[in-house]
Amino acid sequence: MSIEVKNLTKSFGAFKAVDDVSFRVETGSLTALLGPSGSGKSTLLRIIAGLEVPDSGEILLTGEETTSRTARERNVGFVFQHYALFKHMTVWENIAFGLQVRRAPSVEVERRVKELVDLILLAGLEHRYPSQLSGGQRQRVALARALAPHPRVLLLDEPFGALDAKVREELRRWIRRLHDQTRVTTVFVTHDQHEALEIAGQVLVMNKGRIVQAGTPLDIFDRPATPFVAEFVGESNRVEAPVTEPGVACWGPIRFAVDGAAAGETVRVFFRPHDVRVGNSPEDGRVEALIRWTRFRGPLMELGMDLGGGREIVAQVPKGVAQAGGLVEGRRVFVDVAAYHVFPSPGTPTDAAHYGVADMDI
């Protein structure tokens, strides 16, 4: 079951929540709608589900126009952030509910519920009530209930939002395995970039009601199409650098290759902390820096470094490398930037353009 959205728009008063959005989700895929709060992703999901009516645009399921159909007619499964389980019903009764509403034969209901209880790893807990389950177990029941009527599409609205970090991590892995088993076309909303990049095959990044980039997790992370994506997805250093000569922008002693920018222009350069190379010798044109602070990040050490002239950058290096190299506060080191993304500064005629990606500074 594919999903195709064409020129979808939805406003609430003067606020445009979804602004001329178009995209396609292939049959059997797992797609993330990623964006900050207020970007329109939940509204878009509810429109696809039939829970909101768009002002304009079309929704096609497997090429069939469904914009004016009810949620039930679309046969879409929907899972909310806060489970929305029936508190007075057991696990078995919650999962069976959708089938019973559709008047499925009791034999089919029994078979399907048992199949799903096994799938969500809750065999033996069928007669417990939601209050007797953990948060992760309740969310798995909510997923099973949505899957019970064999929906053509499964839509998940912040499905991990109400859970603690450890349970979120476990449930993410479980969702990925569940999708691999069922192959139901699935779209889930999240503001958490780690969730989107970890489990989705396709990521749609939203901002201010629009899709600003669509691609694989690797595309989104390594080849951001806009400054917003570069800053929102993953951690980044951001600097403003003047173009001092054709093809070269300088941020203090650090030089960046710039394609297409004119001398005198200022560009925005984004680079990941793990793309900052740190060493104890000035090899390969590295520039001197002072480590002002360090922060323990599990397998990584984060280093806050001062390059002089008010210029500061953050680097991340493996913990073992930091320890072996004596990378501690007060240590003078040498740094360069291995990969970066360059965009025009706001207000330039080509503000939306991307000046390109460099794999190494010059």
Side-chain angles (χ1 to χ4, degrees):
M1 170 61 64
S2 63
I3 304 170
E4 190 170 2
V5 169
K6 294 183 177 181
N7 308 112
L8 213 60
T9 299
K10 176 67 177 179
S11 295
F12 297 97
F15 175 67
K16 188 168 283 189
V18 178
D19 186 6
D20 194 27
V21 166
S22 298
F23 63 88
R24 180 179 175 85
V25 174
E26 297 299 334
T27 300
S29 64
L30 177 55
T31 297
L33 277 173
L34 172 66
S37 297
S39 60
K41 54 192 187 298
S42 288
T43 300
L44 177 56
L45 198 75
R46 291 176 64 85
I47 293 173
I48 296 170
L51 301 176
E52 294 281 357
V53 178
D55 299 331
S56 60
E58 291 181 298
I59 300 161
L60 291 84
L61 300 181
T62 313
E64 188 178 339
E65 212 283 328
T66 60
T67 315
S68 59
R69 294 187 181 180
T70 66
R72 181 171 177 178
E73 289 172 333
R74 296 181 198 193
N75 190 20
V76 169
F78 199 99
V79 177
F80 298 89
Q81 176 179 342
H82 296 285
Y83 324 124
L85 296 177
F86 300 116
K87 297 178 182 179
H88 65 287
M89 292 185 181
T90 64
V91 168
W92 196 99
E93 291 166 337
N94 266 283
I95 297 173
F97 179 78
L99 293 167
Q100 292 170 334
V101 166
R102 289 166 173 78
R103 301 186 183 281
S106 58
V107 173
E108 180 186 336
V109 173
E110 187 75 32
R111 180 196 58 77
R112 183 63 171 159
V113 173
K114 183 181 185 309
E115 175 187 338
L116 288 168
V117 166
D118 290 339
L119 189 64
I120 64 174
L121 307 177
L122 290 183
L125 305 182
E126 299 94 328
H127 302 297
R128 290 194 181 183
Y129 290 91
S131 61
Q132 298 172 305
L133 302 174
S134 69
Q137 289 172 330
R138 288 197 292 271
Q139 193 61 295
R140 279 186 273 160
V141 174
L143 283 159
R145 185 178 64 180
L147 287 169
H150 298 282
R152 300 194 293 177
V153 171
L154 181 62
L155 306 176
L156 314 176
D157 190 5
E158 297 276 7
F160 316 116
L163 305 170
D164 63 51
K166 183 64 175 177
V167 176
R168 286 170 73 106
E169 185 178 339
E170 293 173 354
L171 199 54
R172 285 202 297 264
R173 290 196 295 265
W174 181 83
I175 286 279
R176 180 73 248 186
R177 289 196 303 269
L178 178 69
H179 177 263
D180 290 343
Q181 289 177 270
T182 62
R183 304 309 299 177
V184 175
T185 305
T186 303
V187 180
F188 73 98
V189 158
T190 182
H191 64 273
D192 188 321
Q193 54 183 285
H194 300 294
E195 288 177 359
L197 299 180
E198 180 180 340
I199 68 175
Q202 174 182 229
V203 179
L204 307 175
V205 184
M206 288 196 71
N207 187 37
K208 298 180 180 179
R210 288 180 170 268
I211 303 289
V212 293
Q213 187 171 356
T216 67
L218 191 61
D219 289 334
I220 300 297
F221 189 82
D222 280 350
R223 291 176 286 277
T226 69
F228 170 80
V229 177
E231 204 157 20
F232 181 72
V233 179
E235 300 174 65
S236 284
N237 292 280
R238 169 184 169 171
V239 303
E240 303 271 336
V243 180
T244 55
E245 58 186 273
V248 179
C250 293
W251 185 63
I254 298 183
R255 292 157 61 86
F256 300 101
V258 180
D259 295 329
E265 192 175 334
T266 298
V267 296
R268 286 173 289 182
V269 184
F270 295 84
F271 50 94
R272 308 288 186 193
H274 64 258
D275 285 325
V276 178
R277 298 184 295 195
V278 184
N280 288 313
S281 61
E283 60 189 38
D284 300 327
R286 292 181 181 180
V287 302
E288 190 173 3
L290 175 67
I291 300 177
R292 290 289 188 189
W293 52 263
T294 64
R295 184 177 297 132
F296 177 63
R297 297 284 298 270
L300 299 174
M301 287 297 295
E302 195 164 80
L303 313 175
M305 295 178 294
D306 185 351
L307 278 67
R311 299 179 182 89
E312 297 180 351
I313 61 174
V314 175
Q316 291 175 347
V317 299
K319 181 181 63 175
V321 171
Q323 292 172 337
L327 304 181
V328 296
E329 292 180 21
R331 180 71 177 265
R332 289 202 170 272
V333 293
F334 296 88
V335 304
D336 65 358
V337 180
Y340 48 87
H341 305 272
V342 184
F343 298 91
S345 287
T348 61
T350 54
D351 182 38
H354 187 181
Y355 280 148
V357 178
D359 292 325
M360 184 171 288
D361 62 317
I362 60 172

